């Protein structure tokens, strides 16, 4: 009897510890997203940088607002596959729709550099993924504005990207390797990409980017479930222990 009680006690404590640990981990993930979003907002409120003035490092400009002047190179565009549609704050119902991010090089005016730009999201053709979405690209010299990131985000991919690609025509890829693209095209480029923040432009692309706090409510819900499970095990153990103690009392 004593051995059975000891095993039950250790098992209950182990499950309770796992539940509390998982709940705390979910809360920490939620707080991490909130802190990251607050940091991003603070950096966006700093003075706007200009990509044409000089060469910038990623540490100097990461998550900062930046303007650039130059011209697009549409024939070298890369369509990043398996990207969910951005859902703005308060939006719902479209996150499961798959599509592409359009990465397009942008030749900076007055500089021998090419800046890669994430122009936005476009839906994928359901019957044939090789059919690229119809979009409009501004011609000539234009001004753009966005936020600087190290990369456009990564998805899981089986194997590596094909090295035998034609860099002079648009292509589909799973992920974007900035250093590799620089070597393929033999041009100089900043060590970051610019994600456009322009809205209301009818070019066939969506740029209503989801906030970094997306999913915080889900983390809180998961934490509640883990804590509730731990509490339920604790209550069950106490009730069962008291009941057994009464039965074994003389």
């Amino acid at each position: 009897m004593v051995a059975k009680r000891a095993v039950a006690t250790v098992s209950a404590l182990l499950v309770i510890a796992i539940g509390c640990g998982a709940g705390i981990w979910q809360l920490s993930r939620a707080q991490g997203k909130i802190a990251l979003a607050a940091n991003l907002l603070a950096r966006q409120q700093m003075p706007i940088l200009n990509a044409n003035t000089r060469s910038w490092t990623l540490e100097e400009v990461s998550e900062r607002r930046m303007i650039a002047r130059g011209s697009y190179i549409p024939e070298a565009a890369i369509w990043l596959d398996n990207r969910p549609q951005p859902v703005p704050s308060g939006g719902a119902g479209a996150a499961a729709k798959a599509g592409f991010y359009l990465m397009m090089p942008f030749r900076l005016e007055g500089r021998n550099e090419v800046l890669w730009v994430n122009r936005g999201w476009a839906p994928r053709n359901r019957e044939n993924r090789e059919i690229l979405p119809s979009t409009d690209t501004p011609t000539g010299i234009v001004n753009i504005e966005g936020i600087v990131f190290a990369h456009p985000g990564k998805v899981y991919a089986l194997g590596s990207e094909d090295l035998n690609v034609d860099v002079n025509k648009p292509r589909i890829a799973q992920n974007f390797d900035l250093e590799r693209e620089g070597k393929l095209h033999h041009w100089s480029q900043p060590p970051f990409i610019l994600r456009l923040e322009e809205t209301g432009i009818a070019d066939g692309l969506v740029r209503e980017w989801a906030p970094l706090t997306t999913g915080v409510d889900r983390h809180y819900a998961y934490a509640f479930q883990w804590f509730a499970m731990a509490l339920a095990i604790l209550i069950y153990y106490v009730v069962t222990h008291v009941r057994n103690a009464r039965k074994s009392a003389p």
Side-chain angles (χ1 to χ4, degrees):
M1 181 65 70
V2 175
K4 290 183 177 180
R5 290 183 178 178
V7 171
T9 300
V10 172
S11 300
L13 292 177
L14 180 60
V15 174
I16 292 171
I18 292 174
C20 291
I24 293 173
W25 178 68
Q26 289 291 345
L27 290 179
S28 67
R29 290 197 64 189
Q31 292 302 315
K33 283 189 175 182
I34 293 174
L36 185 63
N39 179 69
L40 177 60
L41 180 61
R43 293 183 67 83
Q44 290 179 18
Q45 293 175 345
M46 298 173 69
I48 299 177
L49 304 175
N50 191 328
N52 297 77
T53 55
R54 66 178 179 88
S55 295
W56 300 91
T57 66
L58 177 61
E59 291 73 18
E60 291 175 313
V61 301
S62 180
E63 300 173 354
R64 294 277 300 272
R65 299 193 75 88
M66 174 176 280
I67 59 175
R69 180 174 174 83
S71 57
Y72 283 111
I73 311 175
E75 62 271 16
I78 300 176
W79 295 85
L80 298 183
D81 202 358
N82 295 319
R83 307 298 164 136
Q85 180 176 355
V87 180
S89 179
K97 191 173 182 180
F100 298 95
Y101 282 168
L102 175 54
M103 298 295 300
M104 188 173 289
F106 185 82
R107 192 176 302 280
L108 296 173
E109 184 184 46
R111 298 192 60 82
N112 186 29
E113 283 187 333
V114 172
L115 171 66
W116 280 93
V117 179
N118 182 355
R119 292 188 54 201
W121 179 92
R124 184 173 60 190
N125 187 291
R126 295 183 179 181
E127 286 73 29
N128 187 353
R129 66 181 289 271
E130 299 295 331
I131 299 178
L132 296 176
S134 177
T135 60
D136 294 327
T137 300
T139 58
I141 301 297
V142 295
N143 297 313
I144 60 174
E145 180 176 342
I147 297 178
V148 174
F149 290 97
H151 54 78
K154 299 178 181 179
V155 298
Y156 181 76
L158 294 174
S160 58
E161 299 288 348
D162 186 8
L163 298 178
N164 299 317
V165 297
D166 187 351
V167 297
N168 295 314
K169 70 176 184 178
R171 67 184 192 271
I172 297 175
Q174 291 295 317
N175 286 301
F176 179 80
D177 188 330
L178 184 61
E179 182 178 354
R180 174 174 176 264
E181 294 304 322
K183 293 178 180 178
L184 287 174
H185 292 278
H186 304 289
W187 58 34
S188 177
Q189 56 191 26
F192 50 81
I193 64 112
L194 186 69
R195 190 186 73 181
L196 289 191
E197 297 294 310
E198 302 166 333
T199 59
I201 299 176
D203 58 1
L205 295 164
V206 176
R207 284 178 290 272
E208 296 178 339
W209 305 105
L212 292 181
T213 52
T214 298
V216 168
D217 293 339
R218 184 175 64 252
H219 292 309
Y220 285 140
Y222 289 158
F224 173 79
Q225 292 174 2
W226 282 110
F227 287 134
M229 184 191 72
L231 178 61
I233 295 297
L234 176 62
I235 294 174
Y236 175 79
Y237 171 78
V238 171
V239 171
T240 304
H241 182 75
V242 171
R243 183 183 300 168
N244 291 336
R246 289 178 178 177
K247 288 182 179 180
S248 61

